[in-house]
Amino acid sequence: MTRSQVHRYLLYLIASSTAIFVVLLCTFFLLDASHFSDKLPRTLVAAGVSTALLLFIGGVLIAILDREERRRIGELRRQAEKLRDSDFGERLPERSGDQLGELAAVFNDMRDKLRLTTLSRDYVDSILASMHDAIIVTSADGTIKRVNKATTHLLGFERDELLQTSIELLVNTKKSGSLLDEPPTGRPREAFLVSKTGESVPVSYSCSLLEGKEAESGDRIYLAQNISERRRAEKRIRYLARIDALTKIPNRMQFQHLLQRSIARARRSNRQLCLFYFDIDKFKEINDTFGHLAGDTTLETVAERLTESVPGKSTVGRLAGDEFAAVVECSDAEGNPKQISEQLAAKLLNRLAEPFFVQGHEVFMTASMGIAQYPKDATNVIDLIRNADAALYSAKKHGGNQFARYRPEMNEAAVERLMTKSKLKRAFERDELLVQYQPKYNLETGEVFGAEALVRWELPERGIILPADFIPIAEESSLIIEIGEWVLDKVCEDFRYWQRSVSSPGRVSVNLSLKQLRQANFAERFSAILRGHEVSPTSLELEITETTLMEDTERTIKLLDELYALGLHLAIDDFGTGYSSLSALQQFPISTLKIDQSFVRDVAYNDGDATIVSTIVQMGQNLNMDVVAEGVETEDQLALLQNLGCTYAQGLLFGDPMSCDNYLELLLAQSEGTDQYRALFG
Ligand code: C2E
Ligand code: MG
Ligand code: MG
């Protein structure tokens, strides 16, 4: 029984006994008050009256208490109703030793806890609402359970239109496949979503399993970012990187890429290809006589004439200054490829030789041409171009304005290549390899922040041979693996040597070739070398080109994740020259982008190159990556890179790549504040 019930019963008791007493008293008076008055002892009457008075007062008190209790219960109910309506109201007064008071304490406690959890839920809601990335939570079968404001903003749907629908309805499955088939790995991927107006929106997204008490098993969270802007920038970079700015036809890189594809097609369909390699005769004279503008017009004219004269499906490109090339399919069914190619060659040379006018001057121009045929003369891009070039050289040697077909004896380089390969095998025994270091400078402070290790081969009879002349040969066999390990071993040895004199020799980067990356136990061999020298992986960086990265991505991601976990830094070398999208590259744990030197070369004069560099720098910043500009040769380039916010630079402006000892001297000079290049940074 609660205290209030006791109060109430007491009240009833008192009220009823008072009533009985009053009734008795009234009866007594009504019957014969005077008759009884003498007989009834006065004291009894006094006692009766005072008892009645006491009972009355008690009754009044209890009535007051009861009213107070009803008020408190009413208050409790009001607060409970407020809470039901999501209003936290006021705390109830707590009184100990009374059950209503205890109830109020429990109620207050509950109210406080509810307020806390609601606050944190509201807080999470406001975080989600203020995020720029779209967030979509779905159940395992893809039913949307929750979206944030950025999602409605991205797709133009109202929140309620999205809830309880399938996420698959928001995806352009034709372009992106099904999102549900993707494992929830949290790795960034790309897809096209569909907005309310039916527009395709490119996004970079990741999908993870939702964890926590409230998540049902299999709930997924998608995080998506609109990348339309980035795609446009990337498209522009790729365009500028592939198309020759003057003639608007593919540049060397793109031509090689297209040639590669033509070869693959020809291989599949058993067709033959002809590669025509052109060079304008005495182009320098046109430039010198009529000026550079005329030179430019000449190049544009060549590009136009070649493009309109080759058969459809052919590709024309500008490979260098006044060198052009065209690849033409010539199948057996249409006649003898030799005959076809020679007829076409004559037609092209005649068309090029037609005079044209530049600024009122009539220009007579001729060209020479070398022809190499796939698969007869070569079966890969490099050899096909090299052989066509050898034939071109022969045509020039015989006076120009003619074509020559490739013959094996034209290519002394091929013979040389074989000799180089056999010599390279002995380079190790003879201790002919060496490593030089090219310092990387912090563009803001002018400090050396590390160096790139570059391998060289020193032949007694030929002097220093640069990697471009032997790495491709080494890559044809497992020699590249031996060279790679030798370089790493040497770098570690040098690093320990520097550490004896300077506390931090900076981060040293080592170039990696595809064959090394493909080695089954690369990570183990790599760590073993580092352990052998007690060099921390955090002191090193691996430089890998875009093309190498994109070979067998699944495996490469796994391997690089493993290396990254060791603490190693990873950089994309020659960035901008490949064909992968930045989002694809984001799958790898990369921390540095190295802008290829072909973009840096003309950055101070060529708007297109400046745009590329600026876009790469911005992308790097957005993705939290360091950006290194390669091949900085002039102060103009340096100043422009500084303006664009590029982080680091390396190049001949700061001297030639140097020996291990010279790099140490540079580090020591820097710590003494006497290094000679500091002034360049202004
Ligand atoms: P990379 O990794 O892009 O290295 C930069 C190249 O640019 C180096 O050429 C460097 O000497 C050159 N360079 C640096 N600054 C300038 C500059 O201001 N102007 C010009 N014109 N060139 C500059 P290098 O040493 O001939 O190396 C060429 C390529 O050979 C490297 O390109 C790299 O891909 C490869 N390589 C070098 N060392 C190794 C190695 O140990 N292993 C492997 N697998 N490849 C290597
Ligand atoms: Mg490199
Ligand atoms: Mg490079």
Side-chain angles (χ1 to χ4, degrees):
M1 197 184 292
T2 67
R3 192 186 281 214
S4 61
Q5 279 170 318
V6 173
H7 288 161
R8 200 153 298 137
Y9 290 136
L10 260 177
L11 185 72
Y12 296 150
L13 190 70
I14 291 164
S16 50
S17 44
T18 312
I20 293 167
F21 189 78
V22 169
V23 169
L24 277 177
L25 217 60
C26 290
T27 328
F28 164 73
F29 276 112
L30 282 175
L31 285 178
D32 191 355
S34 55
H35 173 77
F36 279 102
S37 59
D38 301 338
K39 294 167 196 166
L40 215 66
R42 275 180 181 278
T43 44
L44 188 64
V45 173
V49 171
S50 51
T51 309
L53 206 65
L54 276 175
L55 281 173
F56 176 71
I57 293 171
V60 169
L61 271 178
I62 286 171
I64 291 173
L65 278 177
D66 186 52
R67 237 180 84 152
E68 168 64 8
E69 209 166 82
R70 278 164 190 271
R71 190 191 61 73
R72 284 170 66 195
I73 290 173
E75 181 61 14
L76 194 62
R77 185 188 314 126
R78 251 193 315 285
Q79 294 298 341
E81 280 169 356
K82 276 191 178 181
L83 204 57
R84 178 198 63 199
D85 299 336
S86 315
D87 175 355
F88 292 104
E90 305 80 39
R91 278 178 76 82
L92 291 165
E94 295 173 19
R95 257 180 251 157
S96 55
D98 130 28
Q99 283 184 331
L100 257 186
E102 280 163 21
L103 191 60
V106 172
F107 181 85
N108 283 342
D109 194 31
M110 180 181 87
R111 167 185 171 278
D112 291 348
K113 282 197 176 131
L114 206 60
R115 178 183 207 144
L116 264 182
T117 51
T118 311
L119 270 185
S120 59
R121 195 191 62 210
D122 288 352
Y123 191 57
V124 171
D125 278 346
S126 63
I127 291 177
L128 291 185
S130 54
M131 278 181 76
H132 293 297
D133 291 351
I135 292 170
I136 304 176
V137 178
T138 72
S139 52
D141 66 357
T143 307
I144 298 177
K145 294 171 90 174
R146 191 167 180 172
V147 295
N148 69 342
K149 213 159 92 190
T151 310
T152 57
H153 194 72
L154 177 75
L155 300 174
F157 287 102
E158 293 300 324
R159 194 170 153 272
D160 292 342
E161 292 175 305
L162 294 174
L163 295 182
Q164 298 310 318
T165 56
S166 167
I167 192 162
E168 290 293 85
L169 298 178
L170 302 181
V171 186
N172 183 335
T173 35
K174 260 195 207 143
K175 281 185 174 177
S176 321
S178 161
L179 290 199
L180 293 176
D181 296 343
E182 302 275 5
T185 56
R187 286 199 183 280
R189 293 197 197 96
E190 279 189 9
F192 285 88
L193 300 185
V194 192
S195 75
K196 192 172 179 178
T197 55
E199 213 182 314
S200 254
V201 185
V203 293
S204 164
Y205 77 96
S206 62
C207 168
S208 319
L209 275 184
L210 203 62
E211 286 168 19
K213 259 199 267 175
E214 284 177 33
E216 286 164 34
S217 91
D219 277 7
R220 291 166 168 222
I221 178 162
Y222 292 85
L223 206 90
Q225 217 176 20
N226 187 339
I227 52 165
S228 312
E229 212 32 64
R230 198 177 81 197
R231 284 211 153 207
R232 264 193 287 278
E234 267 190 82
K235 246 191 189 159
R236 191 160 162 68
I237 287 186
R238 302 304 179 188
Y239 176 81
L240 292 170
R242 287 167 200 176
I243 301 297
D244 175 51
L246 175 69
T247 59
K248 309 282 183 289
I249 60 173
N251 61 13
R252 183 177 197 102
M253 197 178 83
Q254 175 70 351
F255 183 81
Q256 288 184 350
H257 175 68
L258 296 174
L259 178 57
Q260 171 79 56
R261 295 212 330 217
S262 302
I263 289 178
R265 264 201 311 274
R267 184 176 298 132
R268 280 197 302 274
S269 56
N270 231 348
R271 283 165 176 255
Q272 312 209 16
L273 293 177
C274 282
L275 177 66
F276 300 102
Y277 201 150
F278 305 84
D279 185 289
I280 303 171
D281 296 329
K282 305 195 178 94
F283 178 66
K284 193 170 172 298
E285 279 178 23
I286 299 178
N287 252 337
D288 292 349
T289 319
F290 302 110
H292 281 278
L293 219 62
D296 284 355
T297 310
T298 307
L299 296 173
E300 285 168 315
T301 309
V302 172
E304 267 167 38
R305 288 182 174 181
L306 286 179
T307 310
E308 68 194 21
S309 313
V310 291
K313 284 203 220 155
S314 311
T315 305
V316 176
R318 180 179 173 202
L319 300 203
D322 63 341
E323 289 171 27
F324 292 80
V327 56
V328 179
E329 276 190 25
C330 39
S331 76
D332 262 333
E334 290 158 34
N336 180 338
K338 180 167 183 275
Q339 210 178 347
I340 295 174
S341 61
E342 287 182 2
Q343 277 167 1
L344 183 59
K347 177 182 151 194
L348 292 173
L349 287 185
N350 285 339
R351 178 76 180 102
L352 290 180
E354 284 170 26
F356 60 97
F357 282 89
V358 177
Q359 294 158 351
H361 304 285
E362 192 172 24
V363 179
F364 294 89
M365 162 190 80
T366 58
S368 304
M369 183 201 283
I371 308 173
Q373 210 173 304
Y374 165 88
K376 183 170 80 63
D377 298 331
T379 52
N380 65 57
V381 173
I382 302 293
D383 290 343
L384 204 59
I385 292 183
R386 196 192 50 226
N387 292 348
D389 192 17
L392 170 65
Y393 180 73
S394 162
K396 284 247 173 216
K397 222 165 58 180
H398 288 95
N401 193 18
Q402 57 183 289
F403 65 81
R405 304 189 67 87
Y406 170 75
R407 290 189 315 276
E409 58 271 28
M410 285 174 178
N411 205 342
E412 287 161 20
V415 180
E416 167 117 10
R417 209 174 158 83
L418 274 176
M419 282 173 53
T420 310
K421 200 166 185 173
S422 68
K423 278 188 196 155
L424 192 56
K425 280 189 185 142
R426 279 171 287 146
F428 288 103
E429 298 156 26
R430 300 188 181 176
D431 217 7
E432 288 168 347
L433 291 182
L434 57 110
V435 173
Q436 287 187 332
Y437 296 93
Q438 181 168 54
K440 287 181 272 186
Y441 286 84
N442 181 323
L443 282 173
E444 213 174 298
T445 61
E447 277 170 19
V448 174
F449 116 101
E452 174 173 4
L454 297 164
V455 67
R456 273 96 184 79
W457 179 18
E458 194 169 18
L459 267 179
E461 67 277 17
R462 277 186 53 186
I464 296 242
I465 304 178
L466 292 176
D469 293 328
F470 67 91
I471 290 283
I473 297 172
E475 274 172 341
E476 288 169 6
S477 64
S478 60
L479 257 178
I480 189 65
I481 292 178
E482 281 180 65
I483 294 181
E485 290 192 353
W486 180 86
V487 170
L488 184 64
D489 192 72
K490 182 78 176 79
V491 167
C492 289
E493 186 187 316
D494 290 349
F495 197 88
R496 294 299 287 170
Y497 169 69
W498 298 324
Q499 273 185 323
R500 274 178 239 141
S501 312
V502 287
S503 59
S504 164
R507 191 191 296 166
V508 182
S509 51
V510 175
N511 291 284
L512 204 65
S513 91
L514 179 61
K515 267 231 165 99
Q516 286 177 273
L517 207 62
R518 282 217 190 131
Q519 248 180 302
N521 52 355
F522 176 72
E524 284 152 48
R525 297 180 73 122
F526 183 87
S527 340
I529 297 177
L530 265 68
R531 264 199 313 277
H533 289 277
E534 292 178 19
V535 169
S536 157
T538 52
S539 312
L540 297 190
E541 181 168 69
L542 285 184
E543 293 192 6
I544 309 170
T545 63
E546 276 181 67
T547 339
T548 305
L549 275 177
M550 296 316 290
E551 286 267 341
D552 193 0
T553 40
E554 295 269 306
R555 200 187 153 266
T556 310
I557 291 175
K558 247 200 204 137
L559 172 62
L560 295 189
D561 277 347
E562 210 176 312
L563 293 171
Y564 183 75
L566 296 176
L568 198 79
H569 299 267
L570 297 165
I572 300 184
D573 207 355
D574 307 342
F575 182 73
T577 58
Y579 289 87
S580 36
S581 80
L582 197 62
S583 308
L585 295 173
Q586 260 181 281
Q587 309 173 75
F588 305 99
I590 300 288
S591 52
T592 307
L593 288 183
K594 297 194 76 180
I595 308 178
D596 189 62
Q597 49 175 285
S598 59
F599 302 121
V600 175
R601 192 174 304 130
D602 297 327
V603 74
Y605 316 102
N606 180 324
D607 286 346
D609 286 351
T611 312
I612 293 182
V613 172
S614 156
T615 315
I616 296 177
V617 168
Q618 274 170 26
M619 279 182 178
Q621 281 169 352
N622 289 344
L623 297 171
N624 244 339
M625 293 184 185
D626 289 335
V627 179
V628 183
E630 297 185 296
V632 179
E633 293 181 351
T634 68
E635 291 186 36
D636 285 347
Q637 292 167 342
L638 180 68
L640 199 99
L641 289 165
Q642 278 177 314
N643 269 342
L644 293 178
C646 184
T647 356
Y648 303 107
Q650 62 182 88
L652 298 181
L653 177 62
F654 317 107
D656 289 334
M658 55 187 76
S659 67
C660 161
D661 284 325
N662 289 350
Y663 182 65
L664 179 60
E665 272 172 35
L666 175 69
L667 291 175
L668 290 171
Q670 170 167 281
S671 61
E672 286 157 15
T674 55
D675 54 313
Q676 63 180 116
Y677 296 111
R678 183 71 66 103
L680 286 173
F681 292 85

